Amino acid sequence: MKPAQMERTPFADLDSQPSEMTAMLLAALEAMGRHPEIRRVRRTAMQALRPEPGARLLDAGSGAGDVARWLATKVGPAGEVIALDYSAATISAAVQRHDGSNVRYMTGDVSAMTLPPDSVDGVWCERVLQHVDDADVAIAELIRVTRPRGRICLIDTDWGSLAFDGVPSRLATTVVANMHGRLTPRQADMGRTLRRRLIAARLADVTATPVTCVFGDPASAAVVLPMVNPVVPEQAWTTPPGVRDEWFSYVDAAGDRGDFLAILTIWVVTGTVA
Ligand SMILES: C[S@@+](CC[C@H](N)C(=O)[O-])C[C@H]1O[C@@H](n2cnc3c(N)ncnc32)[C@H](O)[C@@H]1O
């Protein structure tokens, strides 16, 4: 199947969603950003990127801008962070959350940016490439705008690593198989492919760190995993009739017993532009 024919998830085109849906997805992104496991992923990425005071950074696919504003605290007043997102609604929400830090917000497609070549010292691109049509095109574009010896940090989920315990495995397999392509993106294994992609793009010093997120109760898992979130509309489910209710009854029972477990690996991959 050609990339353009792939089913597009809401994050691939937030502006064509009803405004309540966009608001809900942005709130979900912010809740994820506060989750201790996502914070652990981001701390790993920050240590890998090592932004310096005075640097000019790009947060590509910046969502509500919370990471861009965090990066701004690292580069300080002499530096600058460009928060770029495809979605005008998202950039407008990010601007509303602006805290006066050195962040410039702009709309743009990570695969075809208007930024000049060699115009940034470093790039952060978190959970975006799983949504684009061709990740290698986007990576080439991120390299184009980064100066020689600049650093690129890609963070992406490996939905193929998602596993559960405490619930019947046949049910978990059905739920996960049916959610892919609907609530999770088409390029579900993006995280594990990033190292290969940066090596193919001839970046130097490529490092790849898998961060396995552990969710020990359904409420914690629901913040990051749509298939455990009872608020996700029933219409988004593609499972056979009855499966959703049966699944949640087992999830709730495991939560009550205290033995619910979900794990998901998110990769942090960096490289230096030649
Ligand atoms: C899952 S969200 C992640 C947002 C943010 N990086 C974070 O980690 O909270 C994906 C973001 O990528 C943006 N996005 C999707 N495709 C894009 C593209 N081609 N160019 C720029 N941004 C894109 C979406 O609008 C959305 O804000």
Side-chain angles (χ1 to χ4, degrees):
M1 179 181 277
K2 287 183 191 156
Q5 294 172 305
M6 288 175 176
E7 189 170 353
R8 292 176 77 79
T9 50
F11 281 122
D13 194 2
L14 280 173
D15 287 350
S16 44
Q17 306 297 319
S19 58
E20 322 79 73
M21 175 66 131
T22 307
M24 196 189 87
L25 289 167
L26 284 175
L29 271 186
E30 290 181 306
M32 278 186 225
R34 291 189 293 271
H35 195 290
E37 290 297 77
I38 298 298
R39 291 168 74 112
R40 191 160 65 86
V41 172
R42 288 181 173 172
R43 280 198 306 276
T44 303
M46 193 64 90
Q47 282 159 12
L49 184 62
R50 301 188 303 271
E52 293 188 353
R56 188 165 193 238
L57 302 179
L58 167 66
D59 181 3
S62 51
D66 44 342
V67 166
R69 290 184 288 275
W70 186 36
L71 288 167
T73 67
K74 306 290 179 190
V75 300
E80 183 187 34
V81 180
I82 301 163
L84 174 141
D85 202 285
Y86 191 72
S87 154
T90 300
I91 285 297
S92 152
V95 168
Q96 281 165 22
R97 290 156 172 78
H98 184 53
D99 61 359
S101 58
N102 219 353
V103 178
R104 182 154 60 93
Y105 303 88
M106 62 187 284
T107 52
D109 181 351
V110 67
S111 302
M113 292 181 281
T114 54
L115 296 171
D118 303 347
S119 56
V120 300
D121 301 300
V123 169
W124 179 294
C125 184
E126 178 179 349
R127 292 177 293 159
V128 176
L129 296 180
Q130 59 185 293
H131 300 290
V132 305
D133 287 340
D134 188 334
D136 292 323
V137 170
I139 289 170
E141 187 63 351
L142 295 174
I143 294 171
R144 181 187 70 78
V145 301
T146 306
R147 67 159 169 83
R149 307 301 303 158
R151 305 260 301 153
I152 291 184
C153 179
L154 307 177
I155 302 149
D156 237 300
T157 319
D158 180 354
W159 286 103
S161 73
L162 177 61
F164 293 93
D165 193 40
V167 289
S169 54
R170 54 143 190 107
L171 202 51
T173 303
T174 305
V175 167
V176 169
N178 281 276
M179 293 316 237
H180 285 326
R182 195 67 186 267
L183 293 177
T184 58
R186 192 60 129 174
Q187 298 176 59
D189 64 350
M190 182 56 67
R192 77 179 73 168
T193 73
L194 294 176
R195 177 178 178 274
R196 163 170 59 79
R197 292 176 193 275
L198 288 195
I199 290 170
R202 300 188 181 283
L203 264 65
D205 314 321
V206 173
T207 67
T209 308
V211 183
T212 297
C213 300
V214 179
F215 306 100
D217 65 80
S220 161
V223 177
V224 178
L225 307 177
M227 63 289 289
V228 190
N229 187 344
V231 174
V232 169
E234 218 168 323
Q235 310 87 275
W237 285 68
T238 56
T239 45
V243 167
R244 180 181 179 276
D245 290 348
E246 189 187 6
W247 168 249
F248 275 114
S249 71
Y250 279 108
V251 166
D252 292 344
D256 291 344
R257 287 193 308 272
D259 66 6
F260 173 89
L261 181 71
I263 57 169
L264 176 72
T265 296
I266 299 180
W267 286 81
V268 174
V269 179
T270 57
T272 303
V273 174

